[in-house]
Amino acid sequence: MYTHLNLLIFSLSLLLSLVPFSICTNKPPPLPVLPIPTASQLQWQLSSMAFFLHFGTNTFNDSEWGSGHADPSVFNPIQLNATQWVQVAKDSGFDRIILTAKHHDGFCLWPTEYTDYSVKSSSWRNGSGDVVKEVALAAKEGGVNLGLYLSPWDRHEVCYGETLEYNEFYMGQMTELLTWYGSIKEMWLDGAKGEGEKNMEYFFDRWFSLIRQLQPEAVIFSDAGPDTRWIGDERGIAGSTCWSLFNRSAAKIGGTDPQYSQGGDPFGHDWVPAECDVSIRPGWFWHASEVPKSAKQLLDIYYKSVGRNCLLLLNVPPNSSGLISAEDIQVLQEFSELRRSIFSYNLASTAIVNASSTRGSTGGHSFDPYNIFSEGIFTYWAPEENESTWVLHLTLQKSVSFNVLKVQEPIHMGQRIIEFHLEILSKVGDWWKMINGTTVGYQRLLQFPTVESRHLKFVIEKSRGEPLVSYLGIYMDNFSSVSSVFDKGFQIFQAHSNSSHVLQQSVYNHSQTAAT
């Protein structure tokens, strides 16, 4: 009996040894294409939008650039409610706020130990108040990330101009801000210094090292990084091509070429994504005579900032009562509703998707093309290696009208896509190139005149390594209008439905216009 059992076991072992099998059933992810973001940079980019809060003595003096000689007693926001600021930000879709703890006039919104030119010399709360503390507590309770702006230029401090003494003073104030108020997620710095001002050297490297030491999760902003960069204007508009890649060695704080900042660098060795700052009002501080931009204006800025791989930093200044003004809140609510109306439903979400190839298609579905309909960037479609064609073909359940394309890359794997275009199948059976674009990054939004189709092709023409797509969506925007050049071209396209060349040419003209 045992002889027969041993023989059976031996036979089965021999048989199994002859059957080939693979230990690894799923193909691993492709290698990242460097550079890639740090954890803090990634969290920052996923935010998309942040509130900027300019507030200080300028708010009470109807001034933009304070002289540094304003009487601190004028600062008296008797209804100040930091919880309202945070709630307005959250309700409007912002999950990060940045407060001007000190602007160029040198007035400090916290009771610093290094000067009396602060809230402790004001009428507010009988000199015992602390705006930074109240904002920090409100942000923590509201689940909103906090950032601070500490202006290097100080028009009040007498030691400004004495390089060593002032840098010690500045780092002392920075240490207070970084150690008194809990978690700080962003330090916002610039190289501001007015014309004719005292000669002054800022010790940026030492400042950055101090921030890294005291708040290692904070990203550091300046017009040259190291973590995030200024887009180069204060209109909130990024370049139509915008890389998160950058060469910090080619940039200087206070002296970076705006064109370089606008577009970034496809050959950059550093990951330094761009931030677009703009104010909801004409000025940065609140002025009773000014009115906010309209919701449609903010939507246009959104397309040209968030929709171009940037974070939108929207300044919403509290008024002299210490509250966000009702008219600003109304505009923000309308802006939020516009975004919800446009982007709440992906018209392609139920489409059948066919890819030119799929990585590891014979084992597992980790890189399935249907991943492009999942919100977020951490699942994605990946093609096979060494392919010359990268195409996603979408067949919708029925014909739909749309005029916005949304594309996202898994930026934790690097920014890859260089050029792409979208094609639609016309009613006469021709493929027409609807819109072309360059960089994608965290998010790309492209607008075009309304078209109707059931069949779409998303074609990637150039990429740094194999392209990866984490999200693809089409939407209908009933509120915006495209350029007159593009509208004219589209009318020709409608009239000459047998000519794909006409549409292709009109798209090219629009692309050229948008880049200027």
Side-chain angles (χ1 to χ4, degrees), residues 64-333:
E64 277 292 298
W65 286 45
S67 65
H69 303 296
D71 188 335
S73 66
V74 302
F75 184 82
N76 191 22
I78 56 176
Q79 297 181 52
L80 189 144
N81 186 344
T83 299
Q84 186 235 22
W85 303 358
V86 169
Q87 195 60 50
V88 169
K90 286 185 66 177
D91 290 346
S92 306
F94 296 73
D95 61 5
R96 180 176 295 248
I97 59 173
I98 299 176
L99 174 69
T100 56
K102 182 181 79 170
H103 203 251
H104 307 324
D105 61 341
F107 182 79
C108 300
L109 295 183
W110 79 103
T112 174
E113 296 177 353
Y114 295 98
T115 178
D116 291 329
Y117 199 57
S118 74
V119 286
K120 65 186 178 185
S121 297
S122 73
S123 306
W124 178 61
R125 306 252 202 271
N126 295 317
S128 61
D130 185 339
V131 179
V132 178
K133 181 179 181 180
E134 294 193 25
V135 172
L137 290 173
K140 183 178 180 179
E141 291 173 2
V144 169
N145 290 324
L146 175 64
L148 297 173
Y149 171 44
L150 181 64
S151 171
W153 185 21
D154 190 322
R155 304 185 76 181
H156 175 82
E157 180 53 41
V158 293
C159 72
Y160 187 86
E162 300 294 332
T163 293
L164 179 60
E165 187 178 352
Y166 181 74
N167 274 278
E168 291 175 343
F169 169 85
Y170 184 85
M171 291 184 73
Q173 290 196 322
M174 182 179 285
T175 299
E176 291 176 337
L177 292 174
L178 297 177
T179 57
W180 289 3
Y181 301 107
S183 177
I184 305 298
K185 294 297 187 180
E186 182 166 353
M187 281 302 294
W188 210 90
L189 309 172
D190 57 25
K193 185 168 60 177
E195 291 185 17
E197 190 53 79
K198 300 172 185 175
N199 186 38
M200 183 74 222
E201 180 186 354
Y202 299 142
F203 292 169
F204 287 111
D205 288 342
R206 301 189 193 200
W207 301 356
F208 297 163
S209 295
L210 181 67
I211 296 168
R212 296 278 192 244
Q213 181 185 83
L214 299 179
Q215 292 283 350
E217 294 184 356
V219 295
I220 303 172
F221 166 92
S222 81
D223 49 346
D227 299 320
T228 73
R229 74 179 193 268
W230 185 41
I231 198 61
D233 64 50
E234 293 183 342
R235 299 177 299 131
I237 297 175
S240 57
T241 296
C242 189
W243 291 94
S244 293
L245 281 61
F246 199 69
N247 269 334
R248 290 185 56 206
S249 60
K252 180 181 178 182
I253 299 176
T256 303
D257 179 1
Q259 287 189 324
Y260 187 63
S261 297
Q262 280 272 322
D265 190 339
F267 305 105
H269 301 296
D270 305 302
W271 187 274
V272 189
E275 186 168 289
C276 298
D277 60 328
V278 64
S279 185
I280 196 171
R281 290 166 171 258
W284 290 93
F285 286 88
W286 177 84
H287 304 279
S289 61
E290 294 181 351
V291 296
K293 293 176 172 63
S294 69
K296 287 186 179 180
Q297 286 177 297
L298 294 184
L299 180 62
D300 182 60
I301 292 170
Y302 180 85
Y303 277 115
K304 295 173 180 175
S305 56
V306 176
R308 293 179 177 176
N309 187 38
C310 297
L311 182 141
L312 171 60
L313 179 59
L314 181 64
N315 180 63
V316 183
N319 61 32
S320 56
S321 295
L323 300 171
I324 304 295
S325 297
E327 57 267 36
D328 293 9
I329 295 174
Q330 178 65 32
V331 168
L332 289 166
Q333 289 174 341

Side-chain angles (χ1 to χ4, degrees), residues 271-495:
W271 187 274
V272 189
E275 186 168 289
C276 298
D277 60 328
V278 64
S279 185
I280 196 171
R281 290 166 171 258
W284 290 93
F285 286 88
W286 177 84
H287 304 279
S289 61
E290 294 181 351
V291 296
K293 293 176 172 63
S294 69
K296 287 186 179 180
Q297 286 177 297
L298 294 184
L299 180 62
D300 182 60
I301 292 170
Y302 180 85
Y303 277 115
K304 295 173 180 175
S305 56
V306 176
R308 293 179 177 176
N309 187 38
C310 297
L311 182 141
L312 171 60
L313 179 59
L314 181 64
N315 180 63
V316 183
N319 61 32
S320 56
S321 295
L323 300 171
I324 304 295
S325 297
E327 57 267 36
D328 293 9
I329 295 174
Q330 178 65 32
V331 168
L332 289 166
Q333 289 174 341
E334 293 171 1
F335 175 43
S336 181
E337 179 58 26
L338 288 179
R339 300 195 319 275
R340 188 202 63 77
S341 298
I342 297 166
F343 297 109
S344 61
Y345 181 67
N346 180 358
L347 296 170
S349 61
T350 60
I352 297 170
V353 186
N354 289 295
S356 53
S357 68
T358 298
R359 182 179 179 86
S361 55
T362 57
H365 301 282
S366 299
F367 311 107
D368 193 286
Y370 284 93
N371 287 339
I372 65 173
F373 298 140
S374 299
E375 293 285 348
I377 66 168
F378 296 105
T379 57
Y380 50 88
W381 165 69
E384 279 289 11
E385 298 166 317
N386 303 315
E387 295 289 325
S388 58
T389 303
W390 303 308
V391 180
L392 289 167
H393 188 154
L394 280 62
T395 301
L396 281 59
Q397 300 298 318
K398 62 180 181 179
S399 264
V400 299
S401 296
F402 61 97
N403 55 18
V404 177
L405 172 69
K406 175 180 174 179
V407 191
Q408 291 183 279
E409 289 184 271
I411 55 173
H412 60 292
M413 303 294 287
Q415 188 175 351
R416 298 165 178 249
I417 297 174
I418 300 172
E419 292 181 12
F420 65 92
H421 70 262
L422 179 70
E423 298 180 22
I424 64 170
L425 188 66
S426 73
K427 293 178 180 179
V428 296
D430 295 330
W431 283 103
W432 286 331
K433 183 185 289 188
M434 189 57 238
I435 190 74
N436 64 297
T438 50
T439 47
V440 173
Y442 172 60
Q443 183 166 240
R444 188 65 192 266
L445 299 172
L446 287 176
Q447 297 172 277
F448 40 86
T450 302
V451 294
E452 182 180 342
S453 185
R454 187 185 171 201
H455 299 275
L456 317 175
K457 278 199 298 190
F458 181 72
V459 182
I460 300 167
E461 300 166 29
K462 295 181 182 179
S463 179
R464 302 171 66 241
E466 277 72 37
L468 308 175
V469 178
S470 56
Y471 192 82
L472 186 68
I474 55 173
Y475 302 89
M476 187 66 201
D477 178 351
N478 292 309
F479 311 100
S480 303
S481 60
V482 294
S483 71
S484 58
V485 173
F486 204 38
D487 283 336
K488 182 178 178 182
F490 183 61
Q491 290 165 7
I492 296 172
F493 157 64
Q494 292 280 60

